[in-house]
Amino acid sequence: ADHADRERTRARIAEVLARARRRTAVLTDSVDEADLVAQHSPLMSPLVWDLAHIGNQEELWLVRDVGGREPVRSDIDELYDAFKHARANRPALPLLNPEQARGYVGTVREKVFDVLESSPLLGNPLVDNGFAFGMIAQHEQQHDETMLATHQLRLGAPVLSAPPAPSARVPIGGEVVVPEGEFMMGTSADPWALDNERPAHPVYVEGFAIDVAPVTNEQYLAFIDDGGYERRELWSERGWAHRQEAGLVAPQFWEREGNQWYRRAFGVRTALRPRQPVVHVCWFEAEAYATWAGKRLPTEAEWEKAARFDPATGASRRYPWGEDEPSERTANLGQRHLEPAEVGAYPAGASATGVHQLIGDVWEWCSSGFEAYPGFRAFPYREYSEVFFGGDYRILRGGSFGTDEVACRGTFRNWDHPIRRQIFAGFRLARDLREDER
Ligand code: AVJ
Ligand code: FE
């Protein structure tokens, strides 16, 4: 049984690595050389940097560390160290050109498959259950999502295409009550969970109400039409200062013509789909909307309890719908579509507490900052999570249409600065219970 388990893990690793590479190829082969080396926004790296960085991380962890092999290119580590050069400065570096970068990631990958064949996948924490391979597949997919955001910022003719995301299957709306009490947050069991998701620990949460669906374009439009961007009292001090300085008047990529709003996505302009979750709003916009609606953002613990807690058993699930891997029936993930699905499109993906579309569609801003769980241990490197704890970040949960399932689960934690909106982020609302609801 042990042997069979190990071979299943090996096959799964090969599959997730191959899937990540197919996606990386779509994102980097669909544009020309000039586009690959261009900087489409000072917030983003040139796509060719992400490409070689993916290969370099894979070389560092799997070829050199796990495999104990000779370096492929020890001379370029510094160029692709995300902490050495800010994104804005990366285009000026002596980077590998597109052909060299493709050759490099290909060579690294061949060696990785060789390492995978011979690894016992046990014996130390880095390789137990294939952890380092899973980490690297997640790393590539995270950069693929970042590259997808670069594509969204890129001007010019569209190069990516996908079928439209599904329409609503069931009418949903309103809120559900999640009962007060302890639940198990985080995980110690998930073999590929990253350090910041660990360990599992009990958290007491007061009873709260949470929206069944993320806030939609139609709802967000009502906030705009009600003067949401002009009413100082709806914004926090920092939020208002940012709204003024950045000249925010609508979500990023929204365009108005007369009375009609449009959304530009991946080079294509379409009329807003009213029932689609709003995307490309920063945390401050989410905060102002919540104030306008008389509610608030959920804390990270509330979000995870709504997603994972099963009142019938008291246990925490891996995904809202249970333990099964995501599928086309349960969540809009993996860049299958280039937009969020309408709310009500995934009834099979609802949580035990009756909350829909927590996984996929849009990352959801939470009120919490990014902090270590009690008992946290940095693994395998401090720069993945630890150096960001306590910084000016807000938590994002649940993944977007651009997140691959390998990098998404009920415990997965993402974070970004509260002013960021090039990411595929939206939000849903929560509130405290009134006396008579407790
Ligand atoms: C966890 C998504 C914030 O993309 O900056 C990629 C993931 N860490 N390479 C990021 C990551 C190192 C990280 N986020
Ligand atoms: Fe990285």
Side-chain angles (χ1 to χ4, degrees):
D2 276 6
H3 176 78
D5 277 355
R6 209 148 56 234
E7 291 321 305
R8 256 194 301 280
T9 300
R10 212 183 300 281
R12 166 138 171 83
I13 290 168
E15 176 199 313
V16 298
L17 286 175
R19 185 170 74 238
R21 192 51 50 88
R22 284 195 298 275
R23 184 176 177 198
T24 301
V26 166
L27 290 160
T28 54
D29 294 345
S30 54
V31 292
D32 63 21
E33 299 257 319
D35 253 341
L36 280 175
V37 301
Q39 186 156 48
H40 298 281
S41 156
L43 294 175
M44 311 307 278
S45 313
L47 293 167
V48 75
W49 185 91
D50 285 288
L51 178 61
H53 168 81
I54 285 167
N56 186 239
Q57 287 288 302
E58 186 165 321
E59 172 180 1
L60 288 170
W61 289 104
L62 300 182
V63 177
R64 296 189 213 168
D65 219 316
V66 172
R69 310 282 168 97
E70 286 302 305
V72 181
R73 290 283 303 252
S74 58
D75 56 319
I76 59 173
D77 292 352
E78 201 260 355
L79 286 176
Y80 297 103
D81 180 338
F83 289 87
K84 292 274 161 65
H85 309 282
R87 282 180 175 181
N89 302 330
R90 290 174 192 170
L93 299 171
L95 302 176
L96 300 188
N97 68 34
E99 191 191 328
Q100 291 168 327
R102 288 190 183 105
Y104 173 58
V105 301
T107 302
V108 169
R109 181 54 61 89
E110 278 174 33
K111 291 187 191 291
V112 164
F113 273 109
D114 199 53
V115 170
L116 177 60
E117 282 312 306
S118 55
S119 171
L121 301 180
L122 59 86
N124 71 66
L126 200 55
V127 295
D128 284 347
N129 299 306
F131 173 81
F133 295 92
M135 176 184 82
I136 286 302
Q138 293 179 70
H139 180 260
E140 180 161 353
Q141 288 286 0
Q142 288 180 308
H143 278 274
D144 286 347
E145 183 163 353
T146 298
M147 289 196 279
L148 189 64
T150 305
H151 271 263
Q152 167 67 347
L153 287 160
R154 170 187 164 272
L155 302 171
V159 296
L160 300 176
S161 65
S167 303
R169 253 172 252 267
V170 293
I172 60 165
E175 48 186 19
V176 295
V177 169
V178 179
E180 65 90 33
E182 260 186 11
F183 86 109
M184 205 51 100
M185 186 170 183
T187 178
S188 302
D190 198 317
W192 290 359
L194 302 173
D195 60 359
N196 63 56
E197 298 165 72
R198 301 169 185 270
H201 59 289
V203 174
Y204 176 84
V205 184
E206 292 284 350
F208 64 101
I210 188 162
D211 285 1
V212 167
V215 169
T216 63
N217 287 334
E218 166 177 72
Q219 291 170 323
Y220 200 85
L221 205 46
F223 163 73
I224 297 179
D225 288 343
D226 198 33
Y229 279 91
E230 284 78 52
R231 289 164 57 184
R232 168 69 188 86
E233 76 276 13
L234 298 176
W235 299 71
S236 62
E237 198 169 322
R238 259 192 91 187
W240 184 253
H242 178 65
R243 178 258 169 264
Q244 294 294 81
E245 189 195 314
L248 304 183
V249 292
Q252 194 173 10
F253 310 113
W254 281 32
E255 295 171 7
R256 178 183 218 150
E257 229 171 71
N259 278 335
Q260 181 61 51
W261 282 96
Y262 297 87
R263 210 171 79 79
R264 189 173 287 283
F266 306 101
V268 181
R269 198 178 85 154
T270 47
L272 273 190
R273 289 177 72 177
R275 300 287 292 159
Q276 195 173 59
V278 68
V279 60
H280 297 299
V281 287
C282 70
W283 187 88
F284 292 124
E285 290 167 293
E287 184 190 36
Y289 179 98
T291 303
W292 172 77
K295 295 193 183 182
R296 59 174 173 76
L297 295 176
T299 65
E300 182 177 26
E302 286 171 340
W303 190 98
E304 188 169 320
K305 186 170 179 182
R308 299 183 63 212
F309 180 66
D310 180 356
T313 63
S316 290
R317 297 172 165 184
R318 185 158 190 244
Y319 299 101
W321 54 84
E323 306 308 306
D324 294 349
E325 303 293 321
S327 74
E328 292 184 24
R329 285 184 59 251
T330 50
N332 177 16
L333 291 167
Q335 203 182 309
R336 277 201 309 277
H337 308 291
L338 289 168
E339 58 176 354
E342 289 183 5
V343 301
Y346 292 94
S351 71
T353 49
V355 184
H356 288 236
Q357 281 160 286
L358 287 150
I359 298 290
D361 299 302
V362 292
W363 286 102
E364 298 182 17
W365 286 114
C366 294
S367 58
S368 311
F370 185 45
E371 302 292 347
Y373 289 161
F376 168 84
R377 279 181 38 246
F379 181 78
Y381 63 119
R382 288 190 63 241
E383 288 75 17
Y384 184 77
S385 310
E386 194 176 21
V387 299
F388 299 101
F389 289 145
D392 184 25
Y393 302 103
R394 298 294 183 280
I395 288 286
L396 294 141
R397 285 301 202 102
S400 76
F401 62 86
T403 308
D404 185 81
E405 64 175 71
V406 77
C408 192
R409 50 199 161 259
T411 56
F412 191 93
R413 309 175 75 196
N414 192 3
W415 64 94
D416 213 330
H417 295 294
I419 64 169
R420 289 289 181 253
R421 55 184 203 162
Q422 87 281 5
I423 53 177
F424 306 109
F427 62 100
R428 81 174 66 220
L429 299 182
R431 65 174 173 84
D432 297 346
L433 295 183
R434 298 183 308 266
E435 277 302 328
D436 63 299
E437 290 174 305
R438 283 188 206 148

